[in-house]
Amino acid sequence: MRQKMAAGNWKLNGTSATLVELQALAEAYGTAGVDVLICPPASLLHRAAEVAKGSAVTLGGQDCHAAVSGAHTGDTSAEMLKDAGATAVILGHSERRADHFETDATVCAKAEAAMASGLITIVCLGESLEQREAGETLDIIGAQLAGSVPAGATGDTLVVAYEPIWAIGTGKVPTLEQIGEVHAFLRAQLILRFGGEIGGAVRLLYGGSVKPGNAAEIFAVGDVDGALVGGASLRAADFSPIIAALEAA
Ligand code: PGA
């Protein structure tokens, strides 16, 4: 049985005042039936770890550098995230791929570093609207998966998030059939590459406009082990019903 995961990606949102939302989650989830992860901006990680201490809420970064340390101004290493209280990191989000020109090879190198640091590594992939309309979705997803996930990944270290770019922050969600098709494809590809034991243990998250109102039906789709949530993770009042839907799934 794969442990389900509700992951929140705060992106470039959150100052110390926002920690009240994390506080509310931590108070609501002293224990939880699923993994609850919040990825605040790196500037808040250390304080967020203090706030979440003793609760079921864990913390993650939104990116890391492939190097452990060195002359890389403005970057943060996996070791640094871990030191600040993170147990996970999101890598290869489509906004990083677009804004920072991250390639599959970049993401793969970062993922290797994150796994070596013992962080749960959430590798994101997803097609653009043009690619979907051209019927290229599975080719694109397959290539991203092959190129972004390092050898040596395991069910403990790797989580894959399918996030169609056109569904992120838009309120548009693929049909349940489309989500199911991609997740089944990802599962099959992981099993082909890593074998049944590891490929069957890697968790697959869906991301893109997950809200309290659509979470339950998405979580009922085969091979959906949870969600990566942007906008609706910013407020405890929105994220809590998503966690509850996942616990009930
Ligand atoms: P969204 O973002 O839930 O705001 O669509 C999801 C994501 O980018 O991870």
Side-chain angles (χ1 to χ4, degrees):
M1 269 296 280
R2 294 182 294 271
Q3 171 76 356
K4 299 198 161 120
M5 176 185 272
N9 173 12
W10 281 10
K11 308 189 180 185
L12 189 69
N13 299 291
T15 56
S16 32
T18 320
L19 290 172
V20 295
E21 298 296 335
L22 181 66
Q23 178 88 46
L25 271 185
E27 279 166 13
Y29 292 98
T31 60
V34 301
D35 286 355
V36 179
L37 174 74
I38 291 290
C39 301
S43 56
L44 282 182
L45 254 182
H46 203 278
R47 289 181 64 191
E50 292 296 316
V51 169
K53 205 172 180 171
S55 80
V57 181
T58 55
L59 298 162
Q62 300 175 11
D63 174 51
C64 71
H65 197 278
V68 175
S69 62
H72 303 289
T73 303
D75 277 309
T76 307
S77 72
E79 288 293 335
M80 290 168 181
L81 294 177
K82 199 173 162 194
D83 180 58
T87 56
V89 63
I90 298 168
L91 292 175
H93 190 283
S94 60
E95 288 151 14
R96 300 270 336 156
R97 291 178 187 261
D99 296 355
H100 299 271
F101 312 106
E102 291 192 7
T103 62
D104 289 337
T106 319
V107 177
C108 191
K110 291 180 173 196
E112 258 176 43
M115 288 174 183
S117 295
L119 295 179
I120 295 169
T121 304
I122 304 174
V123 171
C124 302
L125 34 80
E127 81 286 1
S128 68
L129 190 57
E130 296 69 38
Q131 289 163 337
R132 173 155 290 273
E133 285 173 346
E136 296 166 2
T137 298
L138 296 186
D139 288 345
I140 295 290
I141 300 287
Q144 288 178 335
L145 185 74
S148 306
V149 171
T154 69
D156 291 332
T157 55
L158 176 66
V159 174
V160 175
Y162 168 53
E163 300 203 302
I165 297 168
W166 51 276
I168 295 175
T170 59
K172 289 191 195 127
V173 182
T175 65
L176 301 180
E177 289 70 27
Q178 287 172 328
I179 295 174
E181 180 190 33
V182 173
H183 279 241
F185 174 75
L186 286 170
R187 178 70 62 212
Q189 293 298 114
L190 286 165
I191 289 171
L192 259 181
R193 178 163 170 201
F194 293 105
E197 198 173 322
I198 292 173
V202 172
R203 290 175 284 181
L204 301 180
L205 309 183
Y206 168 76
S209 296
V210 176
K211 308 284 177 211
N214 62 17
E217 61 181 22
I218 292 171
F219 295 150
V221 175
D223 275 306
V224 173
D225 303 311
L228 180 55
V229 182
S233 71
L234 292 171
R235 292 181 57 247
D238 295 327
F239 199 45
S240 294
I242 294 173
I243 298 169
L246 189 59
E247 284 179 319

